[in-house]
Amino acid sequence: MTGLFATDAAARAFDPLWDEILAVGRDPGTGGYRRFAWADADLTLREWFTGCAAARGMDVEIDRNGNLWAWWLPPGWTGEPENAFVTGSHLDSVPDGGAFDGPLGVVSAFAAVDLVRARGITPRVPVAVTCFVDEEGARFGVACIGSQLSAGALAPERALRLRDGDGVTLAEALRAAGRDPAALGPDPLLAKRIGVFVELHVEQGRALDLVDRPIALASSIWPHGRWEFTFSGEANHAGATRLVDRRDPMLTFATAVHAARGTAEKHRAVATFGKVLVAPNGTNAIPSAVRAWLDARAADEATLTALVAEIETLAGKAAAEGGIGFASEAESRSPIVEFPPEPRAKLSAALAHLGDVPVIPTAAGHDAGVLAERVPTAMLFVRNPTGVSHSPHEFAEAVDCHRGAAALAEVMAAWVR
Ligand SMILES: [Zn+2]
């Protein structure tokens, strides 16, 4: 059994598009990408998106939140698009990010449109290629701003007040890019418009490499959250204070770091302390306080709750033993996203020629996860042989990218015919 779309045809559709944006926002020193929302590289990529749409006779619409939609409407379609097959991803990056996270989904989406058209297929329902703005949250500190605003998950007043590292608010950045900050808000058309949203994404892990398969479907996004841990001790002289007289919160924090690792292993989850603030942060001073942020993710809600509770208990116990004050506060928590079985079954059927396509969870957040609250969504993952992501070393083999574009075209063709 073979599919409609050969890998070499997908290569011819995919490669020129991919090459067009390869240099945009790339730091020549590190090779990493710096494509931050509403800054120069992002604006260049938005122009590129508009050009791709124009070259295909697709009308571009910029929604109230700045997300881009390129429409391919069925012949004779009049009025608002409804019940569309929507596919795309994002074009922004983390600081020193890789080439694939985001752009792979947008390039594959345009390539899929080309492949489906080249087969002479006329869609029954509208097709849209999308780019959701500011997915990574690299500039303003909140991820998936474009999709969250449209889904009504982020209040526009809060979004507009967010500031980047230079103190520029999102409102100011929007104005500088010629956008109207007052336009931000939930998209009332979202649910009516989107029949399904399919996001193709580079895998951010090694699950596919480990089973030697190029493509997977997503089952779920792990629930995850951030907790602020505060350890309070007593500042004192690093030389003159006897060890037995110290109340050193750094020691308790170190215990908490190990507790997080051990507890995560036990629950087959992940837990990371990646951000720490030390007061007074002097080389020759015992710290008075350590504030640290725990990022924890697990396969289900109960495991995540148990994981964090155990880390808190172990940290609290170590604090009590060392005469250290301890407090923990949840800063944010994102519930599990279970991608619905119905669109996934249709995708599976469209990819039957690939054999049993693996269905895997991911521990990374995505626009598809945000939109899953409101509309049917599904995700396709493309193998990442090292699993490295959010790094210049993020990678997918060219042939796997072509297989991904072909798979997306199969899914699109099956859905819209
Ligand atoms: Zn991404």
Side-chain angles (χ1 to χ4, degrees), residues 89-90 92 100-102 135-136 199 201-202 204 365-367 390:
S89 189
H90 60 95
D92 65 320
F100 298 84
D101 180 352
E135 194 272 348
E136 298 288 7
E199 182 170 3
H201 205 279
V202 69
Q204 294 165 296
H366 297 287
D367 290 315
H390 286 186

Side-chain angles (χ1 to χ4, degrees), residues 347-363:
L347 267 60
S348 265
L351 301 176
H353 59 286
L354 301 177
D356 264 344
V357 175
V359 180
I360 59 171
T362 174

Side-chain angles (χ1 to χ4, degrees), residues 229-233 248-250 253 276-279 287-292:
F229 281 37
T230 307
F231 303 94
S232 316
D248 182 351
M250 187 67 85
F253 171 57
V276 186
L277 294 176
V278 180
S288 59
V290 174
R291 286 167 70 204

Side-chain angles (χ1 to χ4, degrees), residues 3-334:
L4 284 175
F5 304 101
T7 309
D8 57 344
R12 287 192 295 275
F14 180 94
D15 288 348
L17 287 164
W18 187 252
D19 292 345
E20 281 168 13
I21 58 169
L22 212 49
V24 180
R26 185 167 57 190
D27 182 314
T30 64
Y33 287 86
R34 295 179 162 261
R35 295 164 165 172
F36 304 145
W38 303 112
D40 285 352
D42 188 46
L43 296 175
T44 301
L45 291 170
R46 291 169 68 84
E47 271 174 39
W48 167 82
F49 181 102
T50 304
C52 287
R56 288 161 180 77
M58 300 169 85
D59 281 337
V60 171
E61 180 196 339
I62 308 177
D63 71 20
R64 61 190 302 182
N65 299 314
N67 304 311
L68 297 168
W69 303 69
W71 289 102
W72 173 22
L73 299 175
W77 186 282
T78 53
E80 283 292 332
E82 282 179 23
N83 200 26
F85 178 90
V86 181
T87 182
S89 189
H90 60 95
L91 292 170
D92 65 320
S93 78
V94 296
D96 286 323
F100 298 84
D101 180 352
L104 186 66
V106 179
V107 168
S108 298
F110 279 121
V113 166
D114 291 350
L115 289 165
V116 170
R117 281 182 164 176
R119 275 269 165 177
I121 293 166
T122 307
R124 273 182 310 105
V125 292
V127 173
V129 174
T130 52
C131 165
F132 285 96
V133 72
D134 203 355
E135 194 272 348
E136 298 288 7
R139 182 166 178 193
F140 297 103
V142 172
C144 300
I145 288 184
S147 57
Q148 283 211 69
L149 283 166
S150 287
L154 174 65
E157 313 78 62
R158 188 183 156 218
L160 289 170
R161 283 198 304 268
L162 296 169
R163 285 180 191 276
D164 69 9
D166 297 325
V168 177
T169 63
L170 176 58
E172 289 161 349
L174 287 169
R175 257 183 238 110
R179 305 285 311 160
D180 175 14
L184 260 53
D187 184 348
L189 300 172
L190 202 66
K192 211 169 166 196
R193 282 190 156 187
I194 301 181
V196 68
F197 175 60
V198 178
E199 182 170 3
L200 178 146
H201 205 279
V202 69
E203 194 196 353
Q204 294 165 296
R206 289 189 56 223
L208 283 178
D209 184 57
L210 293 171
V211 296
D212 195 22
R213 301 292 292 274
I215 307 287
L217 290 160
S219 56
S220 63
I221 297 178
W222 282 16
H224 55 275
R226 296 170 177 193
W227 286 261
E228 182 182 348
F229 281 37
T230 307
F231 303 94
S232 316
E234 186 179 47
N236 214 330
H237 195 288
T241 315
R242 298 190 314 157
L243 292 176
V244 293
D245 292 336
R246 296 180 181 205
R247 288 174 51 228
D248 182 351
M250 187 67 85
L251 283 176
T252 316
F253 171 57
T255 305
V257 174
H258 284 280
R261 172 63 185 242
T263 311
E265 278 171 8
K266 186 178 125 190
H267 287 285
R268 306 179 76 164
V270 289
T272 309
F273 281 104
K275 178 177 164 183
V276 186
L277 294 176
V278 180
N281 210 23
T283 306
N284 56 358
I286 298 161
S288 59
V290 174
R291 286 167 70 204
W293 281 261
L294 172 71
D295 176 304
R297 305 171 190 234
D300 58 72
E301 301 284 355
T303 306
L304 179 60
T305 300
L307 169 72
V308 175
E310 276 178 50
I311 297 168
E312 286 172 332
T313 301
L314 291 167
K317 190 164 160 273
E321 284 165 4
I324 299 297
F326 169 65
S328 158
E329 197 181 333
E331 191 175 77
S332 67
R333 180 163 173 159
S334 304

